[in-house]
Each structure stands twice: as C-alpha cells, then as structure tokens.
Amino acid sequence: MVTSREPEKVFHGGGIDAAVAYFGGEFSGWLDLSTGINPESFVLPELPLSLWHRLPDDYVLQAALNAARGFYGADGQAPMVAAPGTQALIQIMPLLADTGDMAILTPTYQEYAASFQRSGWNVHSCTAIEDIPAHVSVVVVVNPNNPDGRYIPAKQLLNLAGELGRQGGFLIVDEAFADVHEGASLVPHAVHEPLIVLKSFGKFFGLAGVRLGFAFSNPSIVEKIAARLGPWAVSGPALAIAQAAFSHDGLESFRRRIDERREGLSAVFARHKLEEIGGTALFSLVQSEEAYALWEHLAEQHIWVRKFDYAPNWLRVGLAKDQSDLKRLEDALSTFKA
C-alpha cells in the first residue's frame, strides 16, 4: 500500500500528435489502438440549428436525463446530473467532503489520485478491498477496472459503501467500461446508498469528442455536484446526441459488434502467442517480457498502443474498427523480432 500527497504526472492513451512528432508519418496514417473507446462511432442524429444557436433548454436536458435513466437501469426519478465528460466529475469528487484520508483500488485510471492529491487528500493506493484502511472516508473503485479488467461483485461494493456511510463517507464507482456488460451496474442502488456512480457516454458509443458523463447518487450529493458544475454545463447538441443514442433501437446489434471485434483481437493475440492477462469488452491487456520493444516496433509501423511506466511488461490494446485494421495489427506482429 502506498500513501501519497504528491500528484504525479498522468499519462493516457491517445496523443497521436506526440506519436507523429516522434515516429513520423501523417496523422491520418496512424492506427490508434491506445484507448478503450469503441472504434465504431454511433450514428449521429440530425440536429436542428436551434441547438447550436441557443443555450440548452431544460426540456433538452430532461429528455437526455430520462433517456439515460432508461439506458442505465435507473428509476424514472433517480437523482442524477450530466457533466461535460466524466473527467469534469473527477475534478469535483474531492470537493464533496472535507479533506482527509481516502483510498483508491489500484492500478487504475490515474486521474483520481491526481485529483484528490491536488485537493489536499491523503491518498492510499490499495490492491484489494481487504487492504483499505479502516479510517478512510472515501474510496474509489473503477469497475470493471482500467487497465486490467478487474471486476468486483455488486454485493461486495455495496457492503463497502455501507461501511463508509456509517462513518460519514461514501464510495465512488466509475463504470466507464460497464455499459457493454449488462447487469453489472450499481446505478439502481445509488439513490439509497452512500454511493456515487459515474458513467461515461463516449466509451461505449464511440463518441468521446462529445464530452459527456453522468453521476448518479442520492439527492444531497447530486445537488452538490450540480452546484459545482453551474448552469448549462452540457451543450444542447451533446444532450440531443445522447438522447437519440440512448433511445435507439439498434443498440443490441451495436453491442454485439463490440463483442465480435473483441473476439477478433483475442484471436490475433492467440495466434502470435501474446498472453492476455485482463481487459474488458473494449480493450485487452497483454503481458510480455518484450513489451517495450513490441510497443516501439508497433509505433514504427504507425500503430499506437498503450504502455505503462508502472508496469513495463504490460500493453493495453484497444479494438480495431474493421478487418483491415485488424490485419494491419496482425501483419505488424508477424514482423516483430524479440
């Protein structure tokens, strides 16, 4: 367990501009497999000009929130708030309670530690729920986890939330990668528990550029988050896109295509004897003694995957959009010499 107050520099997937600057080529010629974003963007609806011309009317916001409740399995009146991306919500989480001790299940998305540390919290990095110190008031769990896909059952998380609630704290569960896994969400419990559930719109729908996220919790916490965000936090076009996507009748086939891409990725790794040690439906985590050399080789072929300074034997690889991109990855693996 590591305790820290000093925020570290955070590295993410993406950043093709940096890859181009170092390895060369044209931006359009790179294959970006470094993120956990669905490579298939959901179909965009036609948007009336008024959505661009005016501040978002309340009926636009409420339509999006109601559609989100239905999609995420929440009660029709469940307290929730929309934000310009989950990242904006992460910046607010440390401000919802007095600073003290909190814990994060690691390794995971590093922005949580950075955000809490900047706000003066003492951050405990724990590898299992059993390692969480008894005196912490806030715990963050990404479920399923990024990058290893670790999944903690709902009952265990609800027990943890109850323990935190009894000492005036709460549990934050980030479900950015849960949408492909039906029935895995804690959203239905959020209104009744000392619990905040964060949802990312862009990962599942392949529309990260929309910058949209949601928080579900009890009325008191939702009001605090909304006050921090202020009015008109999310654009009218983003809300309208979300409302249309959540209500679309093609979601089942959209979800099935994600599964098919994931199966194709695993098949490529199996053929090249790359060991998969985790992941979710939207990405795979592979382990190799030659991980850095493989990362560099792929980058020289203008294929961008995610490496980890804290785990030099790991590479995270996202989904290929089509068979052409998958073959490009396989061809590059075929020419790799350890």
Side-chain angles (χ1 to χ4, degrees):
M1 180 176 68
V2 178
T3 303
S4 176
R5 280 185 176 274
E6 295 299 323
E8 300 178 356
K9 185 174 181 180
V10 178
F11 297 93
H12 303 288
I16 293 295
D17 48 355
V20 171
Y22 190 85
F23 291 98
E26 297 293 330
F27 186 92
S28 60
W30 276 76
L31 173 58
D32 186 5
L33 302 178
S34 68
T35 75
I37 300 167
N38 186 353
E40 178 185 352
S41 298
F42 202 77
V43 59
L44 293 173
E46 291 188 17
L47 300 177
L49 183 60
S50 60
L51 288 173
W52 302 98
H53 179 65
R54 301 166 54 166
L55 290 169
D57 290 308
D58 188 61
Y59 80 88
V60 178
L61 172 62
Q62 295 307 321
L65 295 182
N66 287 334
R69 290 184 181 101
F71 180 79
Y72 293 127
D75 180 84
Q77 299 300 317
M80 65 177 299
V81 62
T86 309
Q87 186 60 49
L89 293 167
I90 292 173
Q91 310 307 307
I92 292 173
M93 294 297 103
L95 309 177
L96 300 177
D98 294 335
T99 58
D101 285 81
M102 63 85 61
I104 302 175
L105 285 197
T106 58
T108 195
Y109 186 55
Q110 294 173 282
E111 286 289 350
Y112 281 102
S115 181
F116 274 90
Q117 287 163 357
R118 281 193 299 267
S119 296
W121 287 76
N122 192 30
V123 175
H124 299 259
S125 296
C126 306
T127 57
I129 285 181
E130 294 74 22
D131 299 330
I132 295 172
H135 65 281
V136 302
S137 57
V138 175
V139 174
V140 173
V141 178
V142 179
N143 201 50
N145 190 45
N146 171 23
D148 60 3
R150 174 191 60 215
Y151 176 74
I152 298 175
K155 183 177 180 180
Q156 196 172 2
L157 290 175
L158 291 174
N159 288 340
L160 175 59
E163 293 173 9
L164 293 168
R166 283 188 285 276
Q167 53 196 44
F170 52 85
L171 172 66
I172 300 167
V173 179
D174 184 326
E175 295 186 347
F177 295 100
D179 297 347
V180 187
H181 308 277
E182 293 184 280
S185 179
L186 289 184
V187 162
H189 303 278
V191 66
H192 305 296
E193 303 288 344
L195 173 66
I196 304 171
V197 180
L198 303 184
K199 286 289 189 178
S200 170
F201 175 77
K203 301 286 195 307
F204 173 75
F205 288 101
L207 295 170
V210 168
R211 306 311 302 134
L212 180 61
F214 301 95
F216 291 84
S217 190
N218 59 64
S220 175
I221 288 180
V222 166
E223 288 174 10
K224 289 180 182 179
I225 297 172
R228 290 281 181 179
L229 287 168
W232 310 299
V234 179
S235 72
L239 293 169
I241 289 170
Q243 190 273 330
F246 287 139
S247 308
H248 201 279
D249 60 6
L251 289 176
E252 186 174 339
S253 60
F254 187 70
R255 184 177 281 109
R256 186 170 61 250
R257 289 194 295 276
I258 292 175
D259 292 336
E260 290 169 353
R261 290 185 179 94
R262 185 65 176 83
E263 290 169 4
L265 185 63
S266 288
V268 166
F269 291 147
R271 286 194 290 272
H272 292 273
K273 302 199 168 34
L274 272 173
E275 180 187 7
E276 285 193 87
I277 60 170
T280 71
L282 288 169
F283 61 82
S284 172
L285 185 68
V286 298
Q287 178 172 268
S288 170
E289 292 298 321
E290 293 83 33
Y292 183 83
L294 178 56
W295 170 82
E296 191 171 43
H297 170 76
L298 292 174
E300 289 169 349
Q301 309 299 312
H302 298 170
I303 299 173
W304 200 230
V305 300
R306 175 77 158 88
K307 65 182 179 70
F308 299 89
D309 291 341
Y310 63 79
N313 291 343
W314 288 2
L315 292 176
R316 190 187 68 194
V317 185
L319 304 184
K321 184 176 182 178
D322 51 35
Q323 288 300 313
S324 175
D325 284 349
L326 191 62
K327 184 178 185 303
R328 182 174 169 185
L329 172 64
E330 182 151 26
D331 288 347
L333 292 175
S334 298
T335 61
F336 174 65
K337 294 181 175 58

